[in-house]
Amino acid sequence: KLPGIEGWVELREHRRSLKLNMTNQYMAFMNQSLMFQFPFYGEDFTNLKITTQGFISLSDVISSTQYIAPLMANFKPLPAENPTQDIRLLYNSDSFIIQWGNMTLGTQKSVGQFDFQLRLEVTGV
C-alpha cells in the first residue's frame, strides 16, 4: 500500500503480479480473461481488453461505450525508451487489479509520468 492511498497495492513489488508485454504502438490493447464474472450495468463480463491508453473495454469493440477509465489519456507506450513503464496485473480471490506505471503523455512528456490502478471486485463494487 502507498501511504495515504486507500486500497492501493503496489504491483511492481508484488511477487504474484504479472507484467504485460507492451508494444510501441499507439492505442494497443491486450485481451484478458477474468477468473470471475464481473457485473457491470446489468451484464456479466468474463473478458476484457486492457489498453495502453489507461482504460479497459468490456466489449469486443474498443470504441464502444462499455469501458472503465481510471485515467484515460493520450499515453505513448515506449517501453524501449522507458523500461520502467509497464502494465501489471494481479488476481486475488475476490478482485482483479490492473496497474499502469510510469505512463507518459504522447504530446506532453514534460508533465511527467503517471501511476494509476483499476480494481474490479467480484461484487461489481
Side-chain angles (χ1 to χ4, degrees):
K1 286 185 171 183
L2 290 179
I5 300 179
E6 184 67 32
W8 182 274
V9 177
E10 180 51 60
L11 298 192
R12 286 186 199 101
E13 300 167 3
H14 202 288
R15 60 180 166 73
R16 290 190 308 123
S17 74
L18 171 70
K19 181 177 178 179
L20 296 180
N21 289 325
M22 288 183 20
T23 67
N24 288 327
Q25 292 178 292
Y26 172 76
M27 192 55 188
F29 67 89
M30 286 108 339
N31 291 311
Q32 182 66 42
S33 296
L34 295 173
M35 294 181 185
F36 55 83
Q37 289 188 342
F38 176 68
F40 187 70
Y41 285 100
E43 290 186 56
D44 290 332
F45 295 89
T46 56
N47 295 298
L48 53 86
K49 295 177 183 345
I50 303 168
T51 73
T52 55
Q53 302 309 108
F55 69 95
I56 65 166
S57 175
L58 296 168
S59 70
D60 293 334
V61 181
I62 293 286
S63 63
S64 83
T65 57
Q66 291 178 311
Y67 65 88
I68 302 172
L71 184 59
M72 184 187 297
N74 184 22
F75 292 114
K76 179 81 172 174
L78 293 170
E81 290 179 25
N82 182 0
T84 63
Q85 186 180 56
D86 60 10
I87 299 174
R88 293 182 177 268
L89 312 176
L90 178 66
Y91 276 106
N92 288 323
S93 60
D94 60 350
S95 66
F96 175 63
I97 303 170
I98 306 162
Q99 178 174 311
W100 289 263
N102 293 324
M103 301 303 285
T104 307
L105 292 173
T107 56
Q108 296 174 321
K109 292 180 183 175
S110 63
V111 298
Q113 298 176 336
F114 298 86
D115 286 5
F116 53 98
Q117 292 184 342
L118 172 65
R119 181 184 203 123
L120 302 179
E121 300 281 341
V122 80
T123 59
V125 177

